[in-house]
Amino acid sequence: MTKKNAFYAQSGGVTAVINSSACGVIETARKHADQIGTVYAGRNGIIGALTEELIDTSLESDQAIAALRSTPSGAFGSCRFKLKSLEENRREYERLIEVFKAHNIGYFFYNGGGDSADTCYKVSQLSEKMGFPVQAIHVPKTVDNDLPITDNCPGFGSVAKYIAVSTLEASYDVRSMAATSTKIFVIEVMGRHAGWIAAAGALVEDYGIPVVTLFPEVEFNQEKFLAAVDAKVKEHGYCSIVVSEGCHWPDGKFLAEQGTRDSFGHAQLGGAAPVVANIIKDALGYKYHWAVADYLQRAARHLASASDVEQAYALGAAAVEKALEGKNSIMPTVVRDSSSPYQWHIGEAPLSEVANVEKMMPMDFISDDGYGITDKCKEYLYPLIKGEAYPEYDDNGMPRYVTLKSGIVEKKLPPFEL
Amino acid sequence: MTKKNAFYAQSGGVTAVINSSACGVIETARKHADQIGTVYAGRNGIIGALTEELIDTSLESDQAIAALRSTPSGAFGSCRFKLKSLEENRREYERLIEVFKAHNIGYFFYNGGGDSADTCYKVSQLSEKMGFPVQAIHVPKTVDNDLPITDNCPGFGSVAKYIAVSTLEASYDVRSMAATSTKIFVIEVMGRHAGWIAAAGALVEDYGIPVVTLFPEVEFNQEKFLAAVDAKVKEHGYCSIVVSEGCHWPDGKFLAEQGTRDSFGHAQLGGAAPVVANIIKDALGYKYHWAVADYLQRAARHLASASDVEQAYALGAAAVEKALEGKNSIMPTVVRDSSSPYQWHIGEAPLSEVANVEKMMPMDFISDDGYGITDKCKEYLYPLIKGEAYPEYDDNGMPRYVTLKSGIVEKKLPPFEL
């Protein structure tokens, strides 16, 4: 049996630690050079496989690959490109297998969220049928933290740490200013469907900060919200508000989409944060500041959680190890053994149970009033933001993030139209 | 001659390192306990002196005071409260002197920007006339970096580092996504009158990032701007944009104020970032993301510049030392000896030359096209963001920021109406 090559691709929104998983995959494959040939990476994710744009990672030095561990973003490029169902577009799946066959690729490591778990599952099934079996292993990644079975998803812990720390810092700021100036600080965080990231902001309550959190899971009730904020300001002199981008009115319309128009009539300028800030200002008259963290939160490798970086790496490494054990159509997972002290090990889940299943935040993680988190939620979150894993900095004072050479392998197949 | 007490107050917008200056003042005063009595801090800045709400810092442990060095915000509270001119409101200045007299305060350390330098100057003049001479020393602080004579202002270096690093990280993110998704990332930064902070974002050009920067110093030209952005996207596949909140149209109107209204007709929801993003989307069709950093940038002690933390401390310490040398009506300054290697020492400037003088960004710091910075600007900026000075973190993964006891000294005077 000849040595097979491997294919690795990054999918969907990138994170501060997805490259740490890439590092885990490539370094572990290099350790097993007797069993695995070259690791090819898809240029811009799965699109690179379809168009046969394969980055030859063997051209990258050990040092460059090691630097991936502390570089945010997707070093090989990612994409938002969901393969259609097998019935709708068998052509794309067949092309994938053809490319894998042409480059002797026997291992498919796909690093992403729910959609890519589904793709990974289908590749494994179809390759078998097409007589060129590929071991397909999914490496979990998503700041949304919504993959099932695994305790958490790499990328989430670092966003959570960034949001918890940033909310704390900005709250200290508004506390300093509240006597004569700003009394309200609103921070908008990611999470269109689930309030995992917003929950991390709510942790600042443990640090003496009056905070009201708006989750996508809880319908926005303007009157009740204003009463909650006003009570905090009257007691503490100020209040911080963490609002999830997915926060919505009872009719399902997002706060961020409430018909905002500029003077030219252009729709939807705003985020949820300015909307919430203005609701408070109009009703209660308090001076506000607001921030929208957007990409800053998921790219903030400078404040990554050490737990997260380590798990992202371990899951990438485990994907390769499990492939070498002959495993197929699985996703390595994080299994929590204990929260305090934090102990975990790597498990695995069959892709059939991962694909198309979305893990929501348990309702008993949200406090009764709907504006905070429970002790159970805190016990879940703190281990995920534990520890710091700083990147190196250069003499200018800037982080040493790596940009790879990304040399493309010679094509062997005719072009493919996306 | 009896030993005099000291008064310290924080003024205006707080920063990631103003408490480092407070630490420098208090620790240095404690070292000279034979010459300086108690350091009283104004609760909520100068208002605390007017209302005689004096925080007794002698009640704080050495450990708590040391922790100020790595705690963002204003630990004693700040205020936005500008004393009127002597002619308009002599009553306030006289009250200050009365409070100082009642508590045997012979040293006035005022930590702030241009307005507070002016107040400090007047206190020094008036106290002399009123027969209770107070040595008034101004400790520079402002993220706006607009105080004259000093090479830079504590608070600015840390904001600059945060914005440079965050812009780099988010740019890596958009670069990863650009093939099929987001091609434009816009980050809005502080700086209503001067582009110092925006200039820090422009540093990412040195790290391979296509970036267009919008300064308050350069009138916004929509057509030229769109051409610059489009050229970058066509060449690199994506573009980052750093926009100062002070960016404005030729008629002086801020981009952030262009008549934005929500569905209820509420004015001015937005910042400059969403406006810029929409201008690009409408004209060029590129998908965008945008962030507004707001307080996150000036509170980000987790990513403070080591240069900045050290200088903030040194200026606080120097204020006390110079007071003990008999100096009055001055501001200790940072004097740059060399940029590479970065060397500096503490100098001083008479408050008569500091008060009411605003230092603008030199026009030769902005590139000819108006969208970037020159080598001269980079040479100025890099030393200010050099080095990391991380806070400690607790076992939860959160920073150990201190909240002081803030015990108030017994009042000796009748109440004062503000």
Side-chain angles (χ1 to χ4, degrees), chain B residues 59-92:
Chain B
L59 304 177
E60 312 290 345
S61 68
D62 283 349
Q63 199 186 7
I65 295 302
L68 288 176
R69 191 173 169 128
S70 50
T71 298
S73 83
F76 305 105
S78 184
C79 65
R80 294 209 179 273
F81 183 85
K82 190 183 158 133
L83 273 74
K84 296 202 185 70
S85 71
L86 264 177
E87 296 68 37
E88 279 180 278
N89 199 343
R90 198 180 177 89
R91 179 178 156 269
E92 284 174 352

Side-chain angles (χ1 to χ4, degrees), chain A residues 12-14 78-81 190 192 245 268 294-295 298, chain B residues 170-171 173-187 226 229-230 233 237-241 273-274 276-291:
Chain A
V14 295
S78 185
C79 65
R80 293 209 178 273
F81 183 85
M190 286 180 160
R192 199 141 273 236
E245 61 178 341
Q268 205 207 340
D294 194 67
Y295 276 4
R298 75 181 201 193
Chain B
S171 299
D173 192 310
V174 64
R175 182 174 74 180
S176 309
M177 304 305 296
T180 57
S181 183
T182 311
K183 288 181 173 54
I184 298 293
F185 177 74
V186 185
I187 179 171
L226 286 168
V229 170
D230 204 26
V233 175
Y238 72 103
C239 182
S240 290
I241 290 129
V276 167
N278 272 276
I279 286 172
I280 294 169
K281 172 77 177 170
D282 285 345
L284 306 173
Y286 296 135
K287 190 182 170 194
Y288 61 73
H289 265 252
W290 57 266

Side-chain angles (χ1 to χ4, degrees), chain A residues 236-258:
Chain A
H236 301 275
Y238 71 104
C239 182
S240 289
I241 290 130
V242 181
V243 57
S244 167
E245 61 178 341
C247 178
H248 57 79
W249 297 93
D251 67 2
K253 201 161 72 172
F254 290 122
L255 261 68
E257 286 179 331
Q258 66 168 359

Side-chain angles (χ1 to χ4, degrees), chain A residues 110-132:
Chain A
Y110 203 22
N111 203 172
D115 285 349
S116 56
D118 183 55
T119 301
C120 202
Y121 183 47
K122 283 173 183 151
V123 164
S124 144
Q125 292 178 299
L126 192 66
S127 67
E128 191 106 20
K129 284 189 203 154
M130 286 175 65
F132 185 79

Side-chain angles (χ1 to χ4, degrees), chain B residues 73-237:
Chain B
S73 83
F76 305 105
S78 184
C79 65
R80 294 209 179 273
F81 183 85
K82 190 183 158 133
L83 273 74
K84 296 202 185 70
S85 71
L86 264 177
E87 296 68 37
E88 279 180 278
N89 199 343
R90 198 180 177 89
R91 179 178 156 269
E92 284 174 352
Y93 291 91
E94 288 177 351
R95 167 72 176 189
L96 286 182
I97 313 295
E98 280 163 26
V99 170
F100 292 166
K101 203 168 172 179
H103 294 275
N104 190 32
I105 289 164
Y107 308 100
F108 174 41
F109 301 111
Y110 203 21
N111 202 171
D115 285 350
S116 56
D118 183 55
T119 301
C120 202
Y121 183 48
K122 283 173 182 150
V123 164
S124 143
Q125 290 178 300
L126 192 66
S127 68
E128 189 106 22
K129 283 190 203 150
M130 286 176 66
F132 185 79
V134 170
Q135 283 171 254
I137 316 268
H138 188 248
V139 184
K141 170 246 51 165
T142 170
V143 296
D144 295 334
N145 203 35
D146 61 358
L147 287 167
I149 306 174
T150 185
D151 175 68
N152 68 86
C153 304
F156 169 67
S158 293
V159 173
K161 188 177 186 89
Y162 176 87
I163 292 299
V165 173
S166 297
T167 304
L168 182 67
E169 290 176 334
S171 299
Y172 266 56
D173 192 310
V174 64
R175 182 174 74 180
S176 309
M177 304 305 296
T180 57
S181 183
T182 311
K183 288 181 173 54
I184 298 293
F185 177 74
V186 185
I187 179 171
E188 177 172 339
V189 304
M190 287 180 160
R192 199 141 271 237
H193 303 297
W196 289 108
I197 298 174
L203 287 170
V204 301
E205 181 199 34
D206 280 356
Y207 292 79
I209 304 298
V211 59
V212 173
T213 304
L214 296 171
F215 298 98
E217 288 84 354
V218 181
E219 283 173 4
F220 184 67
N221 178 326
Q222 181 162 329
E223 210 173 318
K224 200 180 141 206
F225 168 69
L226 286 168
V229 170
D230 204 26
K232 302 264 187 208
V233 175
K234 292 216 157 73
E235 186 182 346
H236 302 274

Side-chain angles (χ1 to χ4, degrees), chain A residues 169 173 207 261 394 401, chain B residues 169 173 207 261 298 394 401:
Chain A
E169 291 176 333
D173 192 309
Y207 292 80
R261 293 189 180 275
D394 67 19
Y401 293 147
Chain B
E169 290 176 334
D173 192 310
Y207 292 79
R261 292 188 181 277
R298 75 179 200 193
D394 66 20
Y401 294 147

